[in-house]
Amino acid sequence: MKQRLLKFISHISNYFRWAIVILILLILALGIIGFALKWYILVVNPRVVFTDFYSFVDDLFALILVYEFLDLLRTLAPARLLDLLLTVMGRKMLLAHNNQTLVFETAVFAVLLLLRLFWNRFNREKEE
């Protein structure tokens, strides 16, 4: 009885996981379509990037973050969590209007990047 219950819970959680992945894929697809519709003007007039740089980069990073989150849910790996954090910090640094905290954010980004590089090296040595 206990094993049947565990199998049932495992199947239900697997279905929930796939439902969440499908929902995120739909959000990503709609985001890409919305991004293309909003920024199609760049094909005709590339100067718009310079006038609306912050909103363009913000929209682009929103799509990247949705993809990173999807990848994190798909793999459930700590390295993907570091990738997500690096993307968030990179977005925050790039869109910063205030230069007072930029040094601190750059230091945090560098520490996270070093952790990610050490993680890659540790996993590579562990696999070999």
Side-chain angles (χ1 to χ4, degrees), residues 82 85-86 89-90 93 102-118:
L82 284 173
L85 289 173
L86 282 169
M89 289 304 298
M93 287 170 40
L102 194 58
V103 173
F104 177 71
E105 291 169 359
T106 305
V108 170
F109 185 84
V111 168
L112 287 174
L113 185 60
L114 285 173
L115 283 173
R116 177 69 168 107
L117 293 174
F118 284 135

Side-chain angles (χ1 to χ4, degrees), residues 15-99:
Y15 287 130
F16 278 136
R17 184 174 175 202
W18 278 107
I20 290 170
V21 167
I22 289 171
L23 182 66
I24 291 174
L25 281 173
L26 286 173
I27 290 170
L28 185 62
L30 289 174
I32 290 171
I33 291 169
F35 182 83
L37 290 175
K38 183 176 179 182
W39 296 106
Y40 76 93
I41 192 83
L42 292 177
V43 175
V44 179
N45 190 5
R47 290 182 292 168
V48 173
V49 170
F50 297 113
T51 58
D52 293 332
F53 177 74
Y54 287 109
S55 70
F56 175 75
V57 171
D58 192 33
D59 291 345
L60 190 62
F61 267 105
L63 289 175
I64 292 170
L65 284 174
V66 170
Y67 175 75
E68 289 282 343
F69 189 70
L70 175 68
D71 197 30
L72 174 66
L73 284 179
R74 188 179 54 82
T75 61
L76 296 175
R80 298 295 177 231
L81 181 60
L82 284 173
D83 289 345
L84 184 71
L85 289 173
L86 282 169
T87 305
V88 169
M89 289 304 298
R91 176 188 176 273
K92 190 172 181 181
M93 287 170 40
L94 187 62
L95 296 176
H97 295 289
N98 185 357
N99 291 336

Side-chain angles (χ1 to χ4, degrees), residues 1-10:
M1 181 70 177
K2 188 176 183 179
Q3 287 192 346
R4 287 174 116 184
L5 182 62
L6 289 175
K7 274 188 177 183
F8 177 73
I9 290 172
S10 173

